């Protein structure tokens, strides 16, 4: 008995002064909340669960330690929202500007989508390279002066990711490809958030008690008004966070806030419907329990334990305890807790962690909540989902780019030429042929991928296909276009345009220039000059180029590529007028991306230079996180569908077989 | 045993969809583990696996227990596009969860395009009749409109839960494209089929 008491005393000491970021797991269980409540106060705002699993930030709330003349929070403190700079690179530097997109399939890395751009930053020439693999996106800006020789596309990819091991990349020929690519890159960005708000009264220790509270104290009401604005849910037009805005099934009102262009809907425990006789109060728990981050508000000094609420979703809590502040307004003590696998997130709590009610604290609190959600997405459960999502989306993007590029090339044949003359029928016939070929290869892939399933009874939900099988299937599909009756030297159509031009094709252009022009000159469309037409012709035939031809010419490739690059520069200059026209468009995809010039006036150069510096700094500080698992605009991803409903392809995915823990 | 012939199992991915707290995890857990979780514990996506026998043939089900909340919409869309069958749940005690299944079905149709949508409509918590908000007739009428099987169940009953998945397998088989059957059965499946066959 005495030993037990001594043990309790030691535990109490440990609990009274835990370190600011306590992450160690201790074999001795922490005292239960009931044990702690049995002692004299004051109590910490947060207690660890008996078997740990969480860290705590902000454990000093001694108001008396504040110097009287010092403000509660330093005005120079900068509260900063986390960001994902990698997700925005394509939109900032590539979209609407002249650049090239490629795709390929690596046996180890899987699907690859590669964007590259010639960039002038300051007065120095650079290559901006953006390579997407199933695990992450690689980005680099490389001064051309650092290169001993001008690299080909595969060599460029190796510059940003040494593990790339493919023979070649295929050019993306689809005019709307940039829209698909930017949608993929930005699928991790979200501007909508929902946070739970839980009201904890003195002595409450279970979720049943927390969710059964209906009355709101004046201090809690004041806090809610401070947090955001009260809104009627009926016909609410902003982000509703899963609440019912039509039938009133989730209560009549809630608390909502728009903070730095981010919409926040709060799930307030006392404003969600109360159900008599329901111990779990499912109508409340269903929403708060599905939030990732929650605020716990306490009127008085009572401890909150993060495992009070059983949820696999809730990963972080910000606990706010009211302290009567007197004439200057209330003071709030703040502690933060999160699961062990959630990385630390800012802004850091001051020491002591006490705030005066006001706009500074509101900004701090909302920033802390948003950064908490970003951080929670890096926890194991959510990170795995993001990996799965990213790999599946990248495969879908690869397939879309491949199908569209094949379709573009399929229009070159004699039969297509005749059909196209008669109207749209020929065009769609060509699409159908490509789709049929694609379906066959998909079936082949499905067949080979299904085989392992009979061996194992475990499945992961991953969409990542078995790479060797997919490589085989991809090979099959790549052979198919060669069977179509296509003449390499057929005349180009004026209306066709490529969104990307491979460097291999520049060599082809050289050859065409040496030969006399063939056939009649087709009518020139308003925005297409001679050179793009030539490029289209050469692009059509490049997949059918025999491998031996490539090998034989490799010795001369360097000189050819360099000359080609020089031509590209002059092409850029000649499109200055087009650039001016493009700038007048309201961000719509005009299909002129491939002819936009990378040359800019000196003034713009300065802007670009400073932008690059900002990118560099933020990238360094942010690291290369996998990003967030939210899709802000599901419809955006589907906006391409109405344009070409005929070419929806059924994607059969194979399962990765990993042993699954028994239930 | 003399009459039984070992046949290769067809494998299907079945996705459980529905609003928050309608019992998706309870359904999947009861089916795969024979256990009913008493407490509502909102789930991040989970995967289950189980072999059942339907029409004297084994079927290997991979069950995806999705996130009911409005997170992770992208991944849910991918599952809708790429899976074989679906169980769409609502709670008979929650009118809002019933209202949510119609737009969900519409989105499934859009995402799958011309491909069939094999699904079973399931009303859960049928044992809590005192709290009922959705009439059986409403669920049945909606299923008739969608031309799909309809069941009202309690996930506390393993028999009822098993019946749900038997029905979804039948739907997947009934709606399978004619040419799709052959490629899905590997030629050497008999050799790789495990010696012991586990029928739940």
């Amino acid at each position: 008995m005495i030993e037990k008491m001594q043990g309790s005393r030691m535990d109490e000491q440990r609990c009274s002064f835990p370190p600011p970021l306590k992450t160690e797991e201790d074999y001795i269980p922490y005292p239960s909340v009931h044990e702690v409540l049995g002692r004299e106060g004051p109590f910490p705002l947060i207690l660890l669960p008996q078997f740990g699993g969480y860290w705590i930030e902000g454990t000093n709330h001694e108001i008396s330690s504040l110097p009287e003349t010092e403000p509660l929070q330093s005005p120079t403190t900068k509260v900063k929202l986390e960001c994902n700079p990698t997700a925005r690179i394509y939109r900032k530097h590539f979209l609407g500007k002249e650049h090239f997109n490629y795709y390929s399939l690596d046996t180890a890395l899987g699907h690859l989508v590669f964007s590259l751009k010639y960039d002038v930053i300051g007065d120095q020439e650079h290559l901006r390279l953006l390579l997407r693999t199933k695990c992450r996106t690689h980005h680099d800006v490389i001064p051309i002066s650092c290169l001993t020789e001008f690299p080909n596309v595969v060599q460029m990819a190796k510059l940003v990711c040494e593990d790339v091991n493919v023979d070649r990349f295929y050019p993306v020929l689809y005019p709307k490809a940039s829209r698909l690519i930017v949608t993929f890159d930005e699928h991790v960005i979200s501007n909508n958030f929902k946070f739970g708000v839980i009201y904890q009264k003195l002595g409450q220790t279970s979720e049943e008690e927390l969710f059964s509270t209906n009355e709101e104290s004046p201090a809690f009401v004041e806090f809610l008004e401070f947090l955001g604005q009260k809104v009627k849910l009926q016909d609410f037009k902003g982000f509703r966070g899963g609440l019912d805005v039509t039938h009133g099934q989730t209560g009549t009102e809630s608390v909502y806030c728009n903070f730095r262009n981010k919409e926040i809907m709060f799930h307030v425990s006392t404003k969600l419907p109360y159900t008599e006789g329901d111990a779990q109060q499912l109508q409340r728990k269903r929403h708060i329990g599905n939030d990732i981050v929650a605020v716990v508000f306490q009127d008085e000094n009572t401890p909150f334990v993060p495992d009070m609420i059983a949820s696999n979703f809730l990963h972080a809590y910000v606990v706010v305890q009211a302290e009567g502040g007197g004439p200057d307004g209330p003071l709030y003590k703040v502690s933060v807790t999160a699961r062990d696998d959630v990385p630390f997130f800012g802004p850091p709590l001051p020491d002591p962690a006490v705030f005066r009610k006001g706009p500074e604290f509101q900004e701090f609190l909302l920033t802390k909540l948003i950064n908490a959600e970003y951080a929670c997405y890096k926890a194991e459960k959510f990170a795995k989902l993001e990996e799965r999502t990213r790999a599946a989306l990248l495969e879908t993007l690869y397939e879309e780019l491949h199908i569209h590029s094949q379709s573009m090339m399929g229009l070159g044949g004699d039969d297509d030429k005749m059909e196209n003359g008669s109207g749209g029928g020929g065009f769609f016939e060509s699409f159908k042929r490509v789709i049929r070929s694609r379906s066959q290869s998909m079936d082949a892939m499905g067949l080979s991928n299904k085989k392992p399933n009979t061996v194992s009874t475990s499945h992961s939900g991953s969409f990542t296909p078995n790479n060797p099988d997919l490589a085989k299937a991809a090979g099959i599909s790549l052979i198919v276009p060669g069977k179509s009756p296509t003449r390499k030297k057929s005349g180009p159509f004026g209306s066709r345009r490529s969104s990307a031009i491979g460097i291999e094709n520049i060599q082809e252009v050289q050859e065409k220039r040496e030969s006399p022009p063939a056939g009649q000159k087709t009518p020139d469309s308003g925005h297409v000059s001679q050179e793009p037409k030539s490029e289209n012709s050469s692009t059509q035939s490049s997949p059918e180029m025999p491998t031996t031809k490539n090998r034989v010419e490799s010795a001369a490739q360097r000189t050819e590529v360099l000359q080609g690059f020089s031509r590209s520069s002059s092409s850029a200059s000649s499109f200055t007028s087009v650039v001016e026209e493009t700038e007048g468009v309201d961000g719509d995809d005009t299909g002129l991306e491939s002819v936009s010039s990378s040359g800019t006036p000196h003034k713009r150069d300065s802007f670009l230079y400073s932008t690059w510096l900002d990118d560099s700094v933020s990238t360094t500080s942010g690291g290369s996180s996998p990003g967030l698992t939210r899709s802000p605009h599901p419809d955006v991803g589907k906006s391409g569908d109405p344009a070409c409903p005929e070419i929806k392809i059924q994607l059969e995915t194979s399962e990765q077989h990993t042993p699954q823990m028994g239930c | 045993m003399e009459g039984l012939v070992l046949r290769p199992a067809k494998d299907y991915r079945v996705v459980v969809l529905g609003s928050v707290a309608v019992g998706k995890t309870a359904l999947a857990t009861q089916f795969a583990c024979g256990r009913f979780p008493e407490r509502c514990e909102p789930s991040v996506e989970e995967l289950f696996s189980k072999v059942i026998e339907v029409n004297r043939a084994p079927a290997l089900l991979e069950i995806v227990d999705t996130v009911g909340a409005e997170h992770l919409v992208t991944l849910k869309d991918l599952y809708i596009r790429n899976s074989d069958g679906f169980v769409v749940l609502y709670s008979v005690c929650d009118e809002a969860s019933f209202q949510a299944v119609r737009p969900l079905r519409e989105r499934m149709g859009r995402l799958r395009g011309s491909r069939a949508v094999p699904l079973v409509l399931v009303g859960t918590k049928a044992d809590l009749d005192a709290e009922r908000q959705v009439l059986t007739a409403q669920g049945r009428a909606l299923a008739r409109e969608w031309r799909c099987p309809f069941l009202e169940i309690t996930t506390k009953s393993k028999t009822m839960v098993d019946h749900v998945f038997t029905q979804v397998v039948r739907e997947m088989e009934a709606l399978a494209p004619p040419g799709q059957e052959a490629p899905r059965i590997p030629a050497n499946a008999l050799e790789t089929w495990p010696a012991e066959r586990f029928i739940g």
Side-chain angles (χ1 to χ4, degrees):
Chain A
M1 191 64 182
I2 293 177
E3 290 175 0
K4 190 173 182 181
M5 291 297 295
Q6 289 175 357
S8 297
R9 206 169 298 124
M10 290 180 64
D11 288 342
E12 184 176 4
Q13 289 179 15
R14 183 188 303 123
C15 193
S16 297
F17 303 99
L21 286 174
K22 183 176 177 59
T23 57
E24 292 178 5
E25 295 250 350
D26 198 330
Y27 286 108
I28 304 174
Y30 296 100
S32 73
V33 62
H34 300 95
E35 287 182 59
V36 172
L37 283 174
R39 305 175 195 150
E40 281 187 27
F43 307 110
L45 275 67
I46 299 175
L47 290 177
L48 287 176
Q50 288 193 260
F51 295 100
Y54 288 80
W55 53 257
I56 298 178
E57 180 198 11
T59 52
N60 178 22
H61 305 96
E62 291 293 330
I63 299 177
S64 57
S65 66
L66 287 171
E68 289 184 3
T69 56
E70 190 176 344
L72 289 179
Q73 182 178 351
S74 171
T76 59
T77 302
K78 178 64 178 176
V79 289
K80 186 186 177 186
L81 282 172
E82 304 287 344
C83 63
N84 185 336
T86 304
R88 303 178 196 270
I89 289 167
Y90 191 78
R91 183 179 291 275
K92 182 182 288 185
H93 297 285
F94 290 83
L95 193 64
K97 304 179 175 68
E98 183 186 13
H99 68 283
F100 308 99
N101 296 309
Y102 300 88
Y103 62 95
S104 190
L105 184 60
D106 186 291
T107 52
L109 298 175
H111 301 91
L112 307 174
V113 174
F114 187 35
S115 301
L116 71 94
K117 175 169 177 273
Y118 168 76
D119 229 340
V120 180
I121 302 174
D123 55 3
Q124 208 179 6
E125 297 173 315
H126 292 79
L127 290 176
R128 186 180 292 273
L129 309 172
L130 191 63
L131 176 68
R132 302 158 190 84
T133 70
K134 72 184 177 188
C135 294
R136 57 174 286 224
T137 295
H138 306 255
H139 172 242
D140 209 346
V141 183
I142 296 173
I144 291 177
S145 57
C146 295
L147 305 170
T148 54
E149 63 183 39
F150 203 86
N152 62 37
V153 178
V154 173
Q155 289 165 337
M156 288 184 195
K158 284 180 180 291
L159 289 174
V160 287
C161 178
E162 293 182 353
D163 299 329
V164 170
N165 187 21
V166 296
D167 293 331
R168 62 169 296 177
F169 277 85
Y170 301 94
V172 174
L173 308 176
Y174 182 46
K176 292 186 180 178
S178 293
R179 192 177 295 171
L180 300 177
I181 291 171
V182 77
T183 299
F184 170 82
D185 280 357
E186 296 182 351
H187 81 271
V188 291
I189 296 174
S190 172
N191 287 318
N192 296 333
F193 296 85
K194 51 195 180 89
F195 303 121
V197 180
I198 299 160
Y199 177 45
Q200 182 185 19
K201 292 166 70 69
L202 180 67
Q204 289 183 331
T205 57
S206 70
E207 70 175 52
E208 286 83 5
E209 290 173 309
L210 294 171
F211 289 132
S212 292
T213 305
N214 281 326
E215 64 273 20
E216 297 174 344
S217 70
F220 184 50
V221 172
E222 184 175 3
F223 179 73
L224 291 179
E225 290 168 359
F226 160 84
L227 208 52
Q229 71 210 55
K230 188 189 294 184
V231 296
K232 295 293 183 184
L233 285 177
Q234 186 69 35
D235 301 324
F236 178 68
K237 299 305 180 190
F239 172 64
R240 61 189 188 92
L243 298 179
D244 185 0
V245 296
T246 53
H247 299 97
Q249 301 280 335
T250 57
T252 57
E253 62 184 29
S254 192
V255 177
Y256 168 88
C257 178
N258 193 304
F259 175 69
R260 294 187 185 172
N261 291 316
K262 298 186 189 305
E263 292 187 71
I264 301 173
M265 176 57 85
F266 292 99
H267 294 152
V268 184
S269 59
T270 52
K271 295 190 183 304
L272 293 164
Y274 176 82
T275 306
E276 196 70 42
D278 181 5
Q280 283 194 96
Q281 288 302 325
L282 206 56
Q283 297 292 340
R284 294 177 166 177
K285 179 165 184 187
R286 68 176 357 138
H287 295 287
I288 295 176
N290 274 285
D291 293 329
I292 294 176
V293 181
V295 182
V296 178
F297 181 84
Q298 303 166 331
D299 279 326
E300 302 176 68
N301 182 237
T302 190
F304 173 78
V305 188
D307 68 353
M308 282 179 184
I309 303 171
S311 167
N312 293 285
F313 252 95
L314 283 163
H315 270 55
Y317 298 88
V318 179
V319 180
V320 178
Q321 189 173 106
E323 181 86 7
D328 289 333
L331 292 174
Y332 294 116
K333 300 173 176 176
V334 178
S335 282
V336 174
T337 184
R339 294 181 193 253
D340 279 338
D341 57 347
V342 175
F344 178 81
F345 49 91
L349 288 172
D351 187 7
V354 182
F355 296 84
R356 173 82 53 192
K357 176 189 173 186
E360 292 87 5
F361 176 46
Q362 190 199 28
E363 185 176 6
F364 177 95
L365 182 57
L366 296 176
T367 304
K368 192 71 164 174
L369 290 171
I370 291 172
N371 288 344
E373 180 143 325
Y374 288 140
C376 290
Y377 281 126
K378 298 173 186 171
E380 186 178 347
K381 280 195 178 87
F382 297 114
K384 281 181 176 174
L385 285 184
E386 165 52 19
E387 280 176 27
R388 211 177 300 168
T389 304
R390 181 187 168 90
L393 282 177
L394 185 60
E395 184 187 357
T396 302
L397 175 64
Y398 172 99
E399 299 289 355
E400 290 263 345
L401 298 178
H402 179 62
I403 288 161
H404 287 295
S405 297
Q406 295 285 310
S407 301
M408 297 294 287
M409 290 186 290
L411 296 175
D414 279 338
D415 293 350
D416 293 329
K417 186 176 181 180
M418 294 296 296
E419 290 167 357
N420 203 50
S422 65
F427 183 77
F428 286 111
E429 285 300 325
S430 174
F431 269 91
K432 287 177 187 175
R433 189 182 317 118
V434 173
I435 291 167
R436 203 175 303 118
S437 304
R438 189 64 195 143
S439 297
Q440 289 167 16
S441 66
M442 289 299 297
D443 287 344
M445 185 172 68
L447 174 59
S448 56
N449 284 333
K450 288 299 179 180
K451 180 180 293 186
N453 292 342
T454 55
V455 179
S456 168
T457 57
S458 298
H459 295 275
S460 72
S462 173
F463 287 90
T464 306
N466 189 329
N467 287 329
D469 289 333
L470 187 63
K472 189 191 300 180
I476 294 172
S477 66
L478 288 173
I479 292 169
V480 171
K483 298 177 182 176
S484 65
T486 305
R487 277 198 320 173
K488 296 183 180 179
K489 302 299 182 183
S490 63
F493 293 91
S495 61
R496 280 179 286 109
R497 176 178 294 112
S498 305
S499 64
I501 302 167
I503 286 184
E504 298 110 305
N505 301 326
I506 298 174
Q507 187 172 312
E508 191 74 4
V509 171
Q510 295 294 325
E511 293 179 354
K512 290 187 73 66
R513 281 179 176 173
E514 292 166 4
S515 66
Q520 284 184 348
K521 190 172 184 179
T522 55
D524 193 4
S525 66
H527 297 291
V528 179
S529 70
Q530 182 64 39
E531 282 170 320
K533 272 196 281 187
S534 302
E535 287 159 352
N536 284 329
S537 300
S538 62
T539 302
Q540 293 168 44
S541 55
S542 73
E544 295 159 351
M545 197 182 298
T547 307
T548 51
K549 189 175 182 182
N550 282 326
R551 204 171 296 136
V552 168
E553 295 166 351
S554 61
Q557 193 170 14
R558 188 183 311 169
T559 308
E560 295 288 341
V561 168
L562 285 175
Q563 291 178 11
F565 189 78
S566 175
R567 191 194 60 77
S568 290
S569 298
S570 67
S571 300
S573 303
S574 68
F575 293 126
T576 303
S577 61
V578 178
V579 170
E580 291 175 2
E581 207 166 5
T582 303
E583 287 168 0
V585 179
D586 288 339
D588 291 334
D589 186 354
T590 60
L592 294 175
E593 290 161 357
S594 62
V595 296
S596 298
S597 171
S598 62
T600 54
H602 182 68
K603 185 177 180 182
R604 244 175 282 170
D605 285 343
S606 302
F607 173 77
L608 197 61
Y609 182 70
S610 63
T611 301
W612 176 73
L613 283 182
D614 287 345
D615 267 357
S616 186
V617 171
S618 58
T619 301
T620 303
S621 63
S624 58
S625 66
L628 307 179
T629 321
R630 298 191 63 164
S631 176
H633 307 293
D635 290 336
V636 172
K638 290 174 276 185
S639 62
D641 289 347
C644 45
E646 296 83 359
I647 58 172
K648 288 185 180 179
I649 299 295
Q650 296 182 359
L651 295 174
E652 294 183 20
T653 60
S654 68
E655 292 85 6
Q656 258 183 352
H657 305 289
T658 54
Q660 178 169 324
M661 298 295 292
C663 300
Chain B
M1 285 301 298
E2 179 178 319
L4 285 176
V5 177
L6 289 180
R7 293 163 58 181
K10 297 171 183 171
D11 60 289
Y12 300 105
R13 179 164 58 222
V14 176
V15 181
V16 183
L17 298 162
S19 289
V20 291
V22 293
K24 298 184 291 297
T25 301
L27 182 89
T29 304
Q30 178 69 276
F31 177 65
C33 310
R35 175 173 60 81
F36 173 74
E38 288 288 342
R39 201 178 199 188
C40 171
E41 193 162 339
S43 306
V44 183
E45 174 182 298
E46 298 185 49
L47 304 173
F48 300 86
S49 183
K50 191 177 176 71
V51 178
I52 62 173
E53 183 176 284
V54 180
N55 296 332
R56 298 170 181 257
L60 176 60
L61 302 189
E62 179 203 0
I63 295 143
V64 183
D65 178 23
T66 57
V67 174
E70 293 185 351
H71 306 285
L72 315 173
V73 175
T74 304
L75 188 52
K76 214 179 301 186
D77 284 353
L78 289 164
Y79 277 131
I80 290 172
R81 211 184 332 243
N82 297 320
S83 298
D84 301 301
F86 306 91
V87 179
V88 172
L89 299 187
Y90 67 92
S91 165
V92 302
C93 306
D94 181 17
E95 172 76 24
S97 68
F98 183 69
Q99 297 298 332
V101 296
R102 183 182 291 278
L104 170 61
R105 174 65 178 84
E106 287 164 2
R107 185 153 122 256
M108 293 168 75
R110 278 200 308 274
L111 288 167
R112 290 178 71 83
S114 58
R115 297 180 64 203
V117 186
L119 80 85
V120 177
L121 179 63
V122 179
T124 62
K125 314 197 184 190
D127 55 315
L128 305 177
D129 213 52
E131 304 168 29
R132 180 179 283 268
Q133 296 178 10
V134 183
L135 299 179
T136 305
Q138 293 175 262
R140 188 178 295 124
L142 185 59
R144 190 176 303 119
E145 177 186 331
W146 293 353
R147 282 178 282 191
C148 72
F150 169 67
L151 298 165
E152 276 192 351
I153 67 166
T154 168
T155 50
K156 296 170 184 173
S157 162
K158 179 133 181 42
T159 303
M160 288 184 174
V161 167
D162 289 349
H163 190 44
V164 168
F165 287 94
T166 301
Q167 285 290 86
V168 73
V169 171
R170 292 199 173 117
E171 279 298 287
M172 292 187 288
E173 290 178 340
L175 297 176
Q180 288 288 327
E181 285 296 330
R184 295 169 64 94
I185 305 175
N188 63 342
L190 280 173
E191 302 170 16
T192 56
W193 186 243
E196 284 190 26
R197 184 177 60 172
F198 172 62
I199 303 296

